[in-house]
Amino acid sequence: MTGIAYRTANVDGHNVFYREAGPSDAPTLLLLHGFPSASHMFRDLIPLLADRFHLVAPDLPGFGRTDMPSREDFEYTFERITDVIDRLTETLGLDRFALYVFDYGAPVGFRIAARHPERITAIISQNGNAYEEGLSEGWTPVQAYWKEPSQTHRDGIRMFVKPETTVWQYTHGVPDETLVSPDGWELDNHYLARPGAEEIQLDLFLDYASNVELYPRFHEYFRTSKPRLLALWGQNDPFFLPAGADAFKRDLPDAEVRFLPTGHFALETHAEEIASAIREFLAP
């Protein structure tokens, strides 16, 4: 068994929880989770890779065991979250690393990559979108909130932070739902139930528009820096369509794109397949 350490780093006054495994002198892979999850989403993947890689998986600010400061004390935007995770990499001395990005972790990771292209050795995007054609109709009520950030539209997307929606995100598009452990959604719902968490998540839904606005910048980074990229996509994802995976090849013609017969949280059912693909992709 490969040991996993559960650590906390102080980053400019914020306590950031992260999981760490593998030899410190091995190639580093930074794992960035999505909504509404935390680094526990990598609980099956990390042991499958820790013999070959140095793995670091933080909880984003406001998620999991990382600090969740009040909305008055912290601006819950993707740019601000990126600032904290960017500083975490510097605090931990991660000067060269590959990225594994999923869902919310994608705009955070792509921002870091665009800021510091020289630090990025490769990118694995698992349902981590960077193209408008990857956005499904499931985003329609959120997009309405972007266009008119009224209380009515804010209340109209509260269903996204309800317990039953979390379960649906884990199980939708999965051919055999008995293969999905309830541990993931139960823990996510625990964190979502904390006082203040719902409003924080609604703030982030509003700010997701800033990620779409930055898509051209991300595309420029892809074309200019030409990072090696592997897109691993749960093809039944209700939020991020397969077209979003294929679109990477427009700016990175050598990108590898692979589809998996599952939903949004592909690691819940296909951790071994994903680990195998990563090992092959990042082979020396």
Side-chain angles (χ1 to χ4, degrees), residues 188-209:
D188 289 348
N189 280 332
H190 163 76
Y191 290 128
L192 282 174
R194 292 176 296 177
E198 182 171 307
E199 297 304 322
I200 285 170
Q201 295 304 328
L202 294 177
D203 286 350
L204 286 172
F205 273 118
L206 178 60
D207 189 64
Y208 199 91

Side-chain angles (χ1 to χ4, degrees), residues 223-261:
R223 292 191 299 270
T224 302
S225 296
K226 297 179 172 60
R228 296 178 59 218
L229 186 137
L230 169 64
L232 296 167
W233 222 262
Q235 64 187 20
N236 302 323
D237 191 327
F239 299 110
F240 298 119
L241 301 171
D246 286 327
F248 282 110
K249 295 182 74 67
R250 187 163 65 237
D251 295 302
L252 292 168
D254 294 331
E256 297 182 35
V257 179
R258 305 187 189 185
F259 294 104
L260 301 164

Side-chain angles (χ1 to χ4, degrees), residues 6 19 23 29 34 51 69 94-96 100 107 119 147-148 162 171 174 176 223 225 235 246 266 272 277 283:
Y6 304 92
R19 298 161 194 254
L29 180 57
D51 63 319
L94 308 181
D95 54 3
R96 290 276 289 170
Y100 182 116
R119 299 181 186 176
K147 294 174 182 176
E148 184 185 337
K162 299 306 180 186
T171 58
V174 179
D176 184 356
R223 292 191 299 270
S225 296
Q235 64 187 20
D246 286 327
E272 291 188 1

Side-chain angles (χ1 to χ4, degrees), residues 104-278:
Y104 277 15
V108 173
F110 295 149
R111 276 175 164 85
I112 291 174
R115 291 180 186 183
H116 312 289
E118 73 285 355
R119 299 181 186 176
I120 307 305
T121 60
I123 297 173
I124 297 101
S125 178
Q126 186 252 295
N127 296 75
N129 194 58
Y131 295 86
E132 289 198 45
E133 56 261 54
L135 300 175
S136 76
E137 291 183 0
W139 284 92
T140 300
V142 181
Q143 290 168 325
Y145 185 32
W146 299 345
K147 294 174 182 176
E148 184 185 337
S150 65
Q151 189 63 47
T152 298
H153 281 136
R154 187 177 180 91
D155 291 339
I157 62 171
R158 287 186 186 275
M159 73 283 194
F160 286 118
V161 293
K162 299 306 180 186
E164 57 272 22
T165 304
T166 305
V167 176
W168 177 81
Q169 284 190 76
Y170 272 80
T171 58
H172 179 85
V174 179
D176 184 356
E177 294 182 10
T178 67
L179 299 178
V180 181
S181 168
D183 297 345
W185 74 63
E186 290 285 358
L187 192 52
D188 289 348
N189 280 332
H190 163 76
Y191 290 128
L192 282 174
R194 292 176 296 177
E198 182 171 307
E199 297 304 322
I200 285 170
Q201 295 304 328
L202 294 177
D203 286 350
L204 286 172
F205 273 118
L206 178 60
D207 189 64
Y208 199 91
S210 71
N211 301 325
V212 179
E213 291 171 359
L214 280 178
Y215 282 175
R217 182 184 174 197
F218 298 157
H219 303 163
E220 181 182 4
Y221 158 71
F222 297 150
R223 292 191 299 270
T224 302
S225 296
K226 297 179 172 60
R228 296 178 59 218
L229 186 137
L230 169 64
L232 296 167
W233 222 262
Q235 64 187 20
N236 302 323
D237 191 327
F239 299 110
F240 298 119
L241 301 171
D246 286 327
F248 282 110
K249 295 182 74 67
R250 187 163 65 237
D251 295 302
L252 292 168
D254 294 331
E256 297 182 35
V257 179
R258 305 187 189 185
F259 294 104
L260 301 164
T262 191
H264 186 62
F265 283 98
L267 280 174
E268 296 296 315
T269 53
H270 288 72
E272 291 188 1
E273 292 88 339
I274 289 172
S276 178
I278 290 172

